[in-house]
Amino acid sequence: MNPLPTVILPGYLAGALEYEPLRQTLEGLGFPTRVVPLRVRSWLPTLGGRPITPILKVLHTTLQQTLQEFGTDRVNLVAHSAGGWIARIYLGSVPYGGQVWQGRDRVATLISLGSPHTSRERWTKRNLDFVNNHYPGAFWPQVNYVCVAGKVIQGQRWGLGSLRESYLTWLAYNSYQLTAGKGELWGDGIIPIEAAHLQGATNLTLPDCYHSGRGGRRWYGTPEVVEEWAQYLL
């Protein structure tokens, strides 16, 4: 039995090109994969906490095209960072942006990679409150939820070590606090573990895994890391 096609949803303010190496890695593992064709400018209408309807529309079109291309009725969805909670809106049955998306009928497995499923940051809180009030945890029983978190940096208000290490732990502290309300947590440098996991999901914590691969760092899209979570696409 051939695996279902996979669609990658980029993270906030990220374009599709950034995820081309991840697409190639998944293809090499035998998973036919497409990337939602976003550009950085695609996100501009969503700034300031405005609805992410423009992203949902492109996601929906990409899923429909992928279903038609492969002659299947469902796909797997891999969503990085904010893409994880955006995907949860897409699965839902409550109108958002004037439309009922009901993506749960088209998605078999949702894998979120370093996604902030909670937030105290005022620009994202409204959207995330919508998600968590209407669809808490691994809400839809017909969807297989897999939430992947990285464990590489513990946040510290006053960083220790070299200047670079101090900056990274300070940055993590402030990001974790915005996301989870506590700074001295472990996470991927941007998202703490407890915010990246969902109750009722298959929750994975991967060591030495950063939020993004910028600067050549080991992240969710590094080939050996992909192999650890891609098994859940079967």
Side-chain angles (χ1 to χ4, degrees):
M1 182 176 177
N2 294 326
L4 292 174
T6 293
V7 172
I8 299 172
L9 177 58
Y12 196 61
L13 293 178
L17 190 60
E18 199 172 316
Y19 295 83
E20 180 60 18
L22 173 56
R23 187 196 68 78
Q24 293 177 3
T25 297
L26 288 170
E27 289 269 0
L29 293 173
F31 301 103
T33 305
R34 301 293 179 262
V35 184
V36 179
L38 297 172
R39 298 184 179 184
V40 173
R41 67 172 182 245
S42 305
W43 297 92
L44 296 181
T46 74
L47 295 179
R50 285 177 284 182
I52 45 80
T53 309
I55 307 303
L56 291 169
K57 289 180 178 179
V58 184
L59 170 62
H60 179 71
T61 298
T62 304
L63 257 68
Q64 293 292 86
Q65 291 172 343
T66 304
L67 293 171
Q68 184 175 7
E69 178 184 355
F70 290 94
T72 184
D73 61 351
R74 292 189 301 167
V75 302
N76 292 323
L77 185 55
V78 172
H80 177 230
S81 195
W85 60 260
I86 293 171
R88 291 169 62 206
I89 292 178
Y90 182 70
L91 297 179
S93 59
V94 177
Y96 179 94
Q99 187 167 343
V100 178
W101 301 96
Q102 295 195 153
R104 67 189 184 281
D105 297 331
R106 295 176 286 275
V107 174
T109 296
L110 168 61
I111 297 184
S112 66
L113 306 173
S115 294
H117 291 299
T118 63
S119 179
R120 296 170 183 248
E121 203 274 324
R122 67 190 183 107
W123 300 120
T124 57
K125 191 174 185 300
R126 181 168 54 183
N127 279 316
L128 270 165
D129 283 351
F130 176 89
V131 176
N132 291 320
N133 288 337
H134 290 294
Y135 318 114
F139 188 79
W140 299 105
Q142 64 267 54
V143 177
N144 179 31
Y145 292 77
V146 180
C147 298
V148 187
K151 183 179 181 181
V152 68
I153 295 178
Q154 184 179 24
Q156 295 180 13
R157 178 178 294 181
W158 311 113
L160 302 174
S162 67
L163 184 61
R164 180 178 181 275
E165 290 170 339
S166 297
Y167 171 72
L168 291 176
T169 55
W170 173 86
L171 176 65
Y173 179 93
N174 286 279
S175 184
Y176 298 168
Q177 192 167 49
L178 275 176
T179 306
K182 293 178 285 186
E184 293 180 346
L185 301 171
W186 280 93
D188 62 14
I190 300 295
I191 306 300
I193 295 167
E194 65 180 55
H197 287 168
L198 283 174
Q199 184 174 0
T202 299
N203 292 312
L204 309 177
T205 300
L206 305 182
D208 303 319
C209 182
Y210 284 90
H211 188 73
S212 79
R214 290 166 189 168
R217 296 183 298 189
R218 172 186 162 98
W219 77 295
Y220 301 103
T222 300
E224 61 266 28
V225 178
V226 174
E227 291 180 6
E228 296 190 51
W229 56 258
Q231 58 185 303
Y232 294 92
L233 293 172
L234 292 173

